[in-house]
């Protein structure tokens, strides 16, 4: 797996891309592959405050249901409605069209760089 080095990662397999004062959040290919075919996504509503390290949504696959953990504390400013309508985008393009939400961050949780995340996953 080739990890983008301009992103930050969490131990729970989310990625963050800084976009000015907002970050875009998704799940890594490692998580998408472990889950299998994702068939349902439950994301927090725009305007909701979420807290780093706490569950803020769910991803359901043909194998299991997995919590989505907030990688940072802040306010949800956008959700990817296209992924809600077609969750397979998460499996098909996790770093691109498969992004999940955008967050105005007030405090970051524990983040890893690409090298640290690769060590964690053995990739």
């Amino acid at each position: 797996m080739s990890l983008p080095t301009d992103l930050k990662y969490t131990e729970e397999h989310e990625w963050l891309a800084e976009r000015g004062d907002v970050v875009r959040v998704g799940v890594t290919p490692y998580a998408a592959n472990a889950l299998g075919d994702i068939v349902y996504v439950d994301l927090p509503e725009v305007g909701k405050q979420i807290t780093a390290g706490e569950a803020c949504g769910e991803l359901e696959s043909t194998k299991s249901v997995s919590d989505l953990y907030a990688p940072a504390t802040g306010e949800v400013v956008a959700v990817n409605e296209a992924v809600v309508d077609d969750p397979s985008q998460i499996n098909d393009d996790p770093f691109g069209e498969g992004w999940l939400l955008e967050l105005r961050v007030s405090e970051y949780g524990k983040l890893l760089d690409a090298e640290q995340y690769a060590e964690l996953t053995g990739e």
Side-chain angles (χ1 to χ4, degrees):
M1 169 173 52
S2 177
L3 292 171
T5 57
D6 59 333
L7 302 179
K8 296 292 184 190
Y9 302 88
T10 71
E11 291 180 354
E12 291 79 24
H13 311 291
E14 289 88 19
W15 57 261
L16 290 83
E18 292 185 334
R19 303 169 62 85
D21 66 337
V22 170
V23 296
R24 181 168 278 185
V25 177
V27 295
T28 64
Y30 182 89
N33 290 337
L35 282 168
D37 293 334
I38 298 170
V39 296
Y40 177 76
V41 180
D42 179 31
L43 298 174
E45 294 180 15
V46 171
K48 180 173 172 103
Q49 292 289 324
I50 60 176
T51 303
E54 293 186 5
C56 65
E58 288 182 343
L59 302 176
E60 184 177 329
S61 73
T62 54
K63 292 186 197 177
S64 67
V65 175
S66 179
D67 285 330
L68 173 67
Y69 291 95
T73 298
E75 178 186 357
V76 177
V77 296
V79 296
N80 186 351
E81 293 295 340
V83 161
V84 173
D85 293 339
D86 181 11
S88 68
Q89 292 182 61
I90 299 168
N91 295 102
D92 295 341
D93 189 13
F95 288 128
E97 296 301 314
W99 65 274
L100 300 175
L101 59 94
E102 291 184 342
L103 181 64
R104 181 167 291 112
V105 176
S106 59
E107 184 178 338
Y108 286 95
K110 180 182 177 193
L111 300 177
L112 309 172
D113 62 23
E115 185 177 323
Q116 291 167 319
Y117 184 73
E119 285 178 26
L120 173 75
T121 59
E123 297 287 320

